[in-house]
Amino acid sequence: MTTTLITGGQVISTTGVVPTDVLVDGETIAALYAPGSTAAAGVTADHTIDANGKYVVPGGIDVHTHMELPFGGTFASDTFETGTRAAAWGGTTTIVDFAVQTYGGNVIESLGAWHEKADGNCAIDYGFHQIVGGVDEDALKAMDYLVEHEGVTSFKLFMAYPGVFYSDDGQVLRALQKASENGAVIMMHAENGIAIDVLAAQAVSRGETDPKYHGIVRRSELEGEATNRAIVLANVAGNVPLYIVHMSAGDALNEVAAARHEGRNVFAETCPQYLWLTLEETLGKPGFEGAKWVCSTPVRSRDHDPDYIGQMGHGHQGDLWKGLRMNELAIVSTDHCPFCMKDQKELGIGNFAAIPNGIGGVEHRMELIYQGVVAGELSLERWVETCSTTPARMFGMYPKKGVIAPGSDADVVVWDPNTKTKIGINDKHHMNMDHSAWEGWVIDGKVDTVLSRGTVVISRDEYVGKKGHGQFIKRGLSQYLV
Ligand code: DUC
Ligand code: ZN
Ligand code: ZN
């Protein structure tokens, strides 16, 4: 087995930044040493990676991606091959993607279809959540089977997208009750989709068809209301672990904060687009360009929405950064769901409601949240916690993933804080898209080297991994309950 010694770096964990040498043996971390003590200990290795002046962090874990998702008459443009390679370029070494069952479909067969898409194609390790778009007797039974036999321990439901993925309150409650029996986490797309569809149709009939109206009709109160409803239903079902996905509204964060204050098993994630981008500067661009940023939940207004009263007094973004610091938001994921402008986003020219929803970002999460550290919003420790350690614990992968410790998988990122990264189609961009939602952004740091289970996959601006290296992870139950 090959051994690798990572020397001279500062290892970041949730509890500190400590100069440490890391010995990797085969696929796992073998030992940690005080800096410079390996020679005296007689440690030798086949390869050495010089991490002097750099950070050594557990590989990023993105628990919300949609490779090849069928949506809006097309498919998300990254395959498991292109998407996991792009993830590696950004220091992410594990993704958890969503298998999709729609109404009347068979859950177990749909999971099999997702295995077929991913098997043999991934550059990094991967797991699956299961979308249940049609809660019926068979689907409820299948949830038990997936938890017990398939290593799929989390299920996503939608309170949005009527006629597509939508579950009504009764269906949501039944799935929550099932989770209370089998220990699964219910992940919720919390927006009032029934009301949103009325507002969207009214806007289009008034001739308000530009992309910006996507953000205007998906009002923040409708995210707050659905989040509250989901919390109430999860409590009625017995304090079932509920995880609100892609939170963008301060209104919704207030609901999660209140539930957590009461000791409920309620958790939430946000995504870089909600922390950094505003409706005015992206979705609201003139003409059709704003389509690049059509995703749901939407990027929010820089200022308060008319009826929103923020915790921080300066809009949704300030609240979300504060929520991340306070652990009201536990995780940053990307909701990576890329669509090209050509032939895909263009389906919605003349009608924003027909624009496929999604932003590609799997490559840039570690970079963009590190920029939050540079901006003083987060600590280095919290960067690692929200982007790697908590995702592993929330979704039953710890301590195999999410930590640099003896016995853990050697998923390691050497991060250079002294070099910049310029994101953009002609700069750093490896996702299968014809544009970047982050065009022109410059990050004060850079992915230097990435190891996936002991194998170097990125080495100083070169991809040296291969498809098929990534393995499926059978996950256990959440390790993050209150
Ligand atoms: N939101 C998106 O932006 N894309 C896919 C599905 C979702 O909920
Ligand atoms: Zn969603
Ligand atoms: Zn999603």
Side-chain angles (χ1 to χ4, degrees), residues 208-236:
E208 297 168 351
T209 59
D210 281 352
K212 80 169 174 199
Y213 293 101
H214 169 85
I216 290 171
V217 302
R218 300 187 92 90
R219 294 172 62 118
S220 68
E221 309 94 296
L222 297 177
E223 189 185 338
E225 182 276 331
T227 300
N228 174 270
R229 193 157 27 103
I231 288 169
V232 170
L233 292 171
N235 196 42
V236 167

Side-chain angles (χ1 to χ4, degrees), residues 20-38:
T20 309
D21 292 348
V22 179
L23 180 65
V24 174
D25 188 359
E27 297 201 339
T28 56
I29 291 162
L32 306 180
Y33 294 93
S37 68
T38 49

Side-chain angles (χ1 to χ4, degrees), residues 70-75 339 343-344 347 354 356:
F71 193 98
T74 185
F75 287 83
F339 295 102
D343 297 337
Q344 296 200 297
L347 293 167

Side-chain angles (χ1 to χ4, degrees), residues 255-289:
E255 302 292 345
V256 167
R260 289 182 58 75
H261 187 69
E262 287 175 19
R264 306 248 191 269
N265 279 311
V266 173
F267 312 100
E269 65 173 21
T270 190
C271 310
Q273 53 269 34
Y274 309 123
L275 291 162
W276 286 120
L277 304 180
T278 63
L279 185 148
E280 289 78 6
E281 288 153 334
T282 59
L283 255 187
K285 279 187 193 282
F288 194 65
E289 201 192 341

Side-chain angles (χ1 to χ4, degrees), residues 64 66 98 156 246 335:
H64 193 150
H66 296 286
F98 289 84
K156 183 180 178 192
H246 48 54
D335 197 8

Side-chain angles (χ1 to χ4, degrees), residues 64 66 156 158 161 188-189 245-246 296-297 335:
H64 193 150
H66 296 286
K156 183 180 178 192
F158 289 78
Y161 305 130
M188 190 62 75
H189 181 130
V245 295
H246 48 54
S296 296
T297 58
D335 197 8

